[in-house]
Amino acid sequence: MSDELPTPQGPTVRREGYDGTGPGAITPDGCAVELWSRLPVGDIPDLIEGAVPTGARILELGCGVGRMTHPLTDRGFTVTAVDESAEMLARVREDVRTVRSPIEHLHLGERFDVVMLASFLVHAGDVAVRQGLLETCRRHVTDDGCVLMQREGEDWHRNVPRESRLAGTDGVARMVSSTPNGDGSNTVLAEYEFPDGRWTHTFRSRPLSTEEFEGALAEAGLAVERYLTEDRTWVRARRLTTKGPGAQSPIKG
């Protein structure tokens, strides 16, 4: 169940400022498909299940290899999985509807109970891309639905270098550096090492204070309903009746 939408970017163009190394295919935003097939999903499916209605229709933006797609589908949710990489989507099970498209260009002509934007995508280095991602969220969520987003932690760019074990695997993740570009964004270098392989990922990320994050949502016609975790990295937002700084009340809930 796969759809490919025509977009101006094309299927193989590497995004400016994004790169990756290591075994296997590398996507336009520098992600290594084989690496993402190994990364643990942790308790994120539990968090999502507790924040949305039972059996909801979910639009997952940036699904990758289906790390969250598959457990959510197995829990009774109907997931439409979107990614710009054909190699990523090839790892998603055939019983899931997939759509190949850059998120910021997505126009499905339908709306969903839940739209999900995880993997810190809201921190896109390019402000225009970030706004496009958020407008895609608003465009595809029902009036009484919700948008779930994952934000970076407060010290994400300051606490470098740092290293952590990848739970349930024999791999290690290292955040090597976060270097300012002079335009409010940073170039981030991450490394991932397993006994049989090593990958790097270089990407651009724009740090956002809570005020800046909520302001960006308002510009796109969204508003925070509540923060789902103590560290405020997971957020539930609602669609607003209007866009811009003066739009302050979600449509419902």
Side-chain angles (χ1 to χ4, degrees), residues 48-106:
I48 294 167
E49 185 175 27
V52 304
T54 302
R57 294 179 66 241
I58 298 176
L59 177 65
E60 184 186 2
L61 302 175
C63 67
V65 297
R67 293 165 60 245
M68 288 186 277
T69 315
H70 298 148
L72 291 174
T73 299
D74 291 343
R75 295 175 191 217
F77 296 102
T78 301
V79 182
T80 294
V82 178
D83 205 278
E84 67 180 340
S85 166
E87 292 87 355
M88 285 287 196
L89 290 176
R91 304 288 181 105
V92 178
R93 293 189 327 221
E94 292 185 359
D95 62 328
V96 176
R97 177 195 179 193
T98 61
V99 179
R100 184 183 175 195
S101 171
I103 298 167
E104 65 269 32
H105 300 311
L106 186 69

Side-chain angles (χ1 to χ4, degrees), residues 197-212:
R198 178 180 175 275
W199 290 264
T200 70
H201 187 198
T202 302
F203 58 97
R204 291 184 179 175
S205 176
R206 184 171 294 270
L208 296 171
S209 67
T210 298
E211 182 180 6
E212 290 169 333

Side-chain angles (χ1 to χ4, degrees), residues 215-234:
L217 264 60
E219 288 181 22
L222 298 167
V224 172
E225 181 184 39
R226 62 188 172 98
Y227 290 92
L228 300 174
T229 54
E230 287 187 11
D231 61 6
R232 298 186 142 208
T233 56
W234 275 93

